[in-house]
């Protein structure tokens, strides 16, 4: 141990010490925002090792590569050089851990160990093909909606047959039909999608006592970060691993559960004590990140949720500046005020751009913000994680690499068999496919027997043979070579460089004079650099297991890491620019200054959540997450009028703004009393000096709404356009309504 045991506890609060010192049995750590949970997790691991637990008996799982990397670095610093990679604690994301173990136990999961992992784009293409084969219209059945339905099924461990057995209407029966074809397509290509990694692992642990017991024996202590984000498959994995020894520590915050739309189940953390009745619960409510008024603002908001575990949020930092709530004329005015806010922080507080972020509920809000930042000459970057690996030339190169690892990956094979053009066109490929079908051969196997096929020209046969020879040569080099840190023919980077060159991808762009093709060439060079710099993290099951040091093993690990990259992994805190991102992408990040825009009904909370209390609570948690990203400065804004589908429409203030504690925030109405529109608008704007409908509905009167029924008026808010009333309805709770459109009828 590089760190003495006493040092592990010296700078911690008492609740943090309680979590670190806990040894055996289940532990729930309720970690509020900025409460130092990564410190607690890493110190706890070091503390276990200091008290006799073998490092390789510890498994820590989290959700992003960035979080796993940070944990790994901190643990290494605490343990020092005394623990080698293959005897160290296993720290990984759920997906990477499952991907590696499914290869190791492939026979138990009924998988080929060299399976491919399909990213979102590959999955979309495969589902699109499945929709067509199912005889359904791609206009009515979009790949995105079908993918979401299949993902939800897999998260609950339902394969295509199980889903079909429960399908009882036209929609679910149609999804079942597509799901079956999609599942068959994946099986044909020896491929898994992201959800399969979790589903296959969960089912293997659930169904195979031998595998389950081997994992339980190896991993005596399990730690799971961000437990509020786990879905049912991850729940099954966790409980299968911990069911024998019950040494499970979960760290998370129900108030930050924001991924219900993709399968996360908040009940996993809320009901942890029901699953483990002897669990110890430690609450970490002290925030080390944000100043007092920001913490109080967040605490005042989130207490309006019912599905949560209470903990007192507080900080010992100074109160700091109060968050500002700004009322703007329209989205252009809002964006301009955001730019002014950021520039002011830069000028007055000498705050660097990299310490600022602009957050929004939906990506569509970024366009106007970009225009304002460009006009103000403020550097910015939009956090969209997989942009580099989504570029065509990079995906082409990756398809070649995947084909080397898995020659049965026909999606990759079809993508690059004639890219760049090599004389194997659609007609030729159709003849090869027919031959393969009749001979019951995989597509690559059929290509290897091109000389036996009738109907192919000598030129086509020659082109196919040259292609097959190239791929087989690369496969031999990968299987026989060893990983190296230098860009040599025997290194991973050298192999990638060779494939890009010999495939013709490099030549296709090298001789072009267009700027776009030169950029593509640079992107291919960057891929070579990524492969050269890649270091696979060992996730070996047995402490005496030998690592796969071949190029093929390194290439497999590299492709896994690429496939599992998330948005959060692509955010560079040292970029020197303002970061624009969705609230979902901001989870786990922090900035000195944050601007949140679009706090309006139907945006935040999103329109899909209106009328659904559980979804409304998730939207409130999303707002809470956004607020708690800010360390010292926070601005929340809304537009009185926003353009939607080309039409200017008045908006309603987000209910979340009305829930913020008034003593902790400052309101700033900059909408101008004369109207809400910029000078170039030709619309006439109503003024308050005319008659308004407010007088018809005094506070305390009873009204009838055509949808919500009877309610009582709690407040009326005369405004320039769209005067509003806040009405309490017994059936749906409090609603803020624009009187001009609400169709209210006074009944008492």
């Amino acid at each position: 141990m590089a760190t003495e045991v006493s040092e592990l506890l010296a700078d911690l609060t008492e609740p943090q010490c309680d979590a670190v010192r806990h040894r055996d049995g289940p532990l729930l750590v309720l970690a509020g925002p900025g409460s130092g949970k990564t410190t607690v997790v890493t110190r706890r691991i070091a503390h276990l090792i200091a008290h006799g637990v073998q490092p390789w008996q510890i498994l820590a799982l989290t959700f992003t590569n960035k979080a796993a990397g940070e944990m790994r670095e901190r643990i290494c610093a605490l343990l020092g050089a005394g623990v080698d990679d293959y005897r160290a604690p296993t720290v990984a994301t759920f997906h990477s851990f499952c991907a590696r173990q499914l290869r190791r136990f492939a026979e138990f999961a009924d998988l080929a160990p060299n399976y491919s992992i399909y990213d979102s784009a590959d999955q979309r293409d495969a589902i699109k093909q499945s929709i067509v084969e199912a005889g359904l219209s791609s206009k009515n059945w979009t790949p995105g909606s079908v993918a979401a339905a299949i993902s939800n099924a897999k998260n609950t461990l339902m394969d295509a047959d199980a889903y079909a057995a429960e399908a009882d209407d036209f929609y679910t029966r149609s999804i079942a039909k597509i799901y079956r074809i999609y599942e068959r397509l994946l099986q044909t290509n020896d491929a898994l999608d992201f959800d399969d990694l979790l589903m296959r692992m969960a089912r293997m642990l659930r169904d195979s006592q031998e595998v389950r017991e081997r994992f339980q024996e190896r991993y005596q202590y399990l730690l799971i970060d961000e437990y509020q984000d786990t879905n049912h498959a991850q729940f099954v994995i966790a409980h299968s691993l911990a069911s024998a020894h019950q040494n499970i520590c979960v760290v998370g915050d129900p108030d930050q559960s924001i991924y219900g739309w993709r399968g996360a189940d908040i009940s996993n953390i809320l009901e942890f004590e029901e699953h483990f009745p002897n669990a110890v619960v430690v609450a970490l409510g002290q925030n080390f990140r944000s100043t007092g008024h920001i913490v109080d603002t967040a605490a005042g908001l989130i207490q309006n949720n019912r599905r949560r575990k209470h903990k007192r949020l507080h900080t010992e930092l100074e109160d700091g500046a109060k968050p500002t709530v700004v009322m703007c004329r329209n989205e252009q005015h809002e964006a301009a005020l955001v730019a002014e806010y950021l520039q002011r922080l830069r000028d007055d507080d000498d705050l660097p751009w990299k310490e600022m972020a602009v957050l929004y509920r939906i990506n569509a809000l970024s366009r106007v913000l970009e225009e304002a930042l460009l006009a103000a000459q403020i550097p910015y970057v939009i956090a969209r994680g997989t942009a580099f690996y989504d570029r065509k030339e990079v995906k082409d190169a990756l398809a070649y690499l995947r084909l080397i690892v898995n020659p049965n990956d026909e999606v990759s094979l079809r993508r690059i068999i004639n890219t760049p053009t090599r004389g194997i066109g659609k007609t030729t490929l159709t003849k090869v496919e027919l031959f393969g079908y009749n001979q019951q051969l995989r597509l690559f196997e059929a290509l290897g027997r091109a000389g036996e096929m009738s109907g192919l020209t000598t030129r086509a046969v020659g082109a196919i043979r040259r292609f097959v020879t190239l791929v087989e040569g690369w496969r031999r080099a990968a299987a026989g070579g060893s990983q190296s840190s230098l860009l040599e023919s025997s290194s991973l980077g050298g192999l990638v460089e060779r494939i890009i060159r010999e495939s013709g991808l490099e030549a296709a762009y090298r001789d072009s004079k267009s700027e776009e093709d030169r950029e593509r060439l640079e992107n291919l060079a960057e891929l070579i650099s990524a492969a050269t710099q890649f270091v696979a993290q060992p996730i070996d099951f047995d402490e005496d297991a030998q690592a796969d040091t071949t190029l093929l093993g390194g290439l497999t690990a590299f492709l896994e890491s690429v496939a599992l990259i998330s948005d959060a992994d692509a955010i560079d805190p040292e970029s020197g620019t303002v970061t624009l991102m969705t609230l979902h992408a901001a989870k786990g990040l922090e900035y000195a200054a944050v601007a949140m825009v679009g706090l309006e009904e139907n945006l935040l909370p999103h329109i899909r959540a209106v009328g659904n209390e559980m979804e409304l609570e998730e939207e409130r948690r999303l707002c809470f997450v956004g607020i708690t990203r800010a360390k010292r400065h926070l601005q929340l804004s809304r537009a009185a009028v926003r353009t939607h589908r080309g039409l200017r429409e008045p908006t309603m203030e987000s209910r979340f703004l009305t829930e913020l504690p008034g003593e902790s925030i400052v309101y700033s109405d900059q909408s101008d009393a004369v109207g809400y529109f910029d000078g170039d608008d030709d619309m006439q704007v109503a003024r308050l000096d005319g008659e308004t409908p407010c007088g018809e509905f005094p506070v305390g009167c009873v009204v009838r709404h055509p949808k919500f029924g009877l309610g009582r008026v709690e407040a009326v808010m005369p405004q320039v356009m769209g005067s509003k009333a806040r009405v309490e309805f017994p059936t749906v709770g409090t609603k803020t309504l624009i009187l001009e459109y609400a169709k209210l009828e006074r009944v008492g």
Side-chain angles (χ1 to χ4, degrees), residues 122-131 143 146-147 150 178 182:
D122 301 319
Q123 182 190 39
R124 184 173 59 250
D125 292 342
I127 288 179
K128 190 182 300 183
Q129 179 181 337
S130 302
I131 293 170
V146 173
I150 293 175
I178 300 169
Y182 173 63

Side-chain angles (χ1 to χ4, degrees), residues 38-39 42 64-76 91 588:
T38 304
T39 296
T42 53
T64 67
N65 294 320
K66 182 173 290 186
E70 182 182 353
M71 277 191 197
R72 205 176 291 117
E73 289 175 6
R74 292 202 197 182
I75 292 168
C76 288
V91 183

Side-chain angles (χ1 to χ4, degrees), residues 115 197 227 255 309 338 344 351 356 381 387 394 469 473 491 583 600 602 662 694 709 719 727 745:
Y115 64 81
L197 297 173
Y227 193 64
D255 292 339
K309 285 182 175 290
V338 167
R344 187 165 61 251
L351 203 62
M356 307 181 198
V381 62
V394 175
T469 299
S491 73
L583 288 160
E600 300 145 25
N602 299 336
C694 294
Q719 294 189 10
V727 184
E745 176 189 356

Side-chain angles (χ1 to χ4, degrees), residues 250-266:
V250 302
V251 183
D253 183 7
D255 292 339
Q256 297 183 69
S257 178
I258 60 173
Y259 298 116
W261 51 277
R262 67 183 189 196
D265 187 351
I266 192 174

Side-chain angles (χ1 to χ4, degrees), residues 27-159:
L27 171 66
L28 168 60
V29 180
L30 295 171
S35 61
K37 67 181 179 64
T38 304
T39 296
V40 169
V41 171
T42 53
R43 300 280 185 94
R44 174 171 164 74
I45 290 172
H47 196 268
L48 287 171
I49 295 170
H51 285 80
V53 177
Q54 297 301 325
W56 59 85
Q57 293 180 316
I58 299 172
L59 170 63
L61 297 174
T62 186
F63 279 81
T64 67
N65 294 320
K66 182 173 290 186
E70 182 182 353
M71 277 191 197
R72 205 176 291 117
E73 289 175 6
R74 292 202 197 182
I75 292 168
C76 288
L78 291 170
L79 299 183
V83 180
D84 62 58
D85 285 343
Y86 296 100
R87 295 171 68 84
T90 298
V91 183
T93 66
F94 264 102
H95 287 89
S96 63
F97 177 75
C98 293
R100 196 72 61 88
Q101 301 305 342
L102 285 173
R103 294 192 196 280
R104 182 176 293 280
F105 293 92
E107 60 181 300
F108 292 94
D110 194 25
L111 290 171
N114 63 335
Y115 64 81
S116 297
I117 300 175
Y118 280 3
D119 62 19
S120 299
D122 301 319
Q123 182 190 39
R124 184 173 59 250
D125 292 342
I127 288 179
K128 190 182 300 183
Q129 179 181 337
S130 302
I131 293 170
V132 172
E133 290 187 23
L136 297 169
S137 168
S138 58
K139 293 181 179 179
N140 298 329
W141 301 91
T142 63
S145 62
V146 173
I150 293 175
S151 177
N152 288 335
K154 290 185 177 183
N155 286 338
T156 57
L157 307 186
M158 295 178 67
D159 60 15

Side-chain angles (χ1 to χ4, degrees), residues 261-468:
W261 51 277
R262 67 183 189 196
D265 187 351
I266 192 174
S267 66
N268 290 348
I269 191 168
L270 291 177
E271 299 171 3
F272 182 80
E273 295 154 276
E274 296 178 25
H275 298 294
F276 297 96
N278 60 330
V280 173
V281 181
V282 176
L284 305 180
Q286 183 173 341
N287 188 310
F288 298 93
R289 172 196 301 155
S290 305
T291 50
H293 287 307
I294 293 174
V295 172
D296 291 343
T297 298
L301 172 70
I302 202 61
Q303 68 181 5
N304 289 278
N305 272 7
R306 295 179 181 176
R307 299 189 76 204
R308 62 188 301 261
K309 285 182 175 290
H310 177 72
K311 56 188 171 302
R312 189 176 73 87
L313 300 181
H314 61 101
T315 183
E316 294 187 2
L317 301 177
E318 62 182 4
D319 286 342
K322 291 185 177 182
T324 303
V325 176
V326 183
M327 171 77 157
C328 313
R329 292 193 297 274
N330 52 35
E331 65 267 34
Q332 287 82 11
H333 185 217
E334 180 182 48
L337 290 181
V338 167
E340 289 179 15
Y341 171 68
L342 301 178
Q343 188 67 60
R344 187 165 61 251
L345 289 171
R346 172 80 167 183
D347 295 340
D348 297 348
D349 291 41
D350 199 26
L351 203 62
W353 297 125
K354 68 179 182 180
E355 284 288 340
M356 307 181 198
V358 184
L359 310 181
Y360 37 80
R361 176 63 177 84
I362 59 174
N363 277 309
L365 298 186
S366 70
R367 180 188 62 82
V368 177
L369 291 164
E370 286 189 76
E371 292 173 355
L373 295 181
L374 284 170
Q377 297 184 322
I378 295 176
Y380 70 90
V381 62
I382 296 182
R384 293 195 177 112
T386 56
F388 175 78
Y389 291 104
D390 278 343
R391 291 166 179 153
K392 178 186 181 301
E393 64 278 9
V394 175
K395 287 190 71 67
D396 289 342
L398 290 173
Y400 276 103
L401 302 181
R402 282 167 36 178
L403 186 62
I404 293 169
V405 171
N406 175 16
N408 291 333
D409 184 350
E410 294 186 8
V411 170
S412 294
L413 176 55
R414 293 173 192 278
R415 181 182 183 97
I416 49 85
I417 193 169
N418 205 37
T419 302
T421 304
R422 55 172 55 91
I424 310 176
K426 184 176 180 180
T427 301
T428 298
L429 188 59
T430 300
K431 292 177 180 178
V432 174
E433 288 175 322
L434 182 59
F435 176 82
Y437 176 79
N438 291 329
Q439 298 294 321
Q440 295 186 321
L441 299 172
R442 298 290 185 99
L443 182 55
F444 190 77
E445 293 174 323
L447 289 168
R449 293 171 57 178
E452 303 175 28
M453 301 178 201
S454 59
L456 291 183
T457 65
T458 302
R459 182 180 178 184
V461 172
I464 292 172
R465 283 176 171 167
R466 286 190 294 274
F467 174 75
V468 171

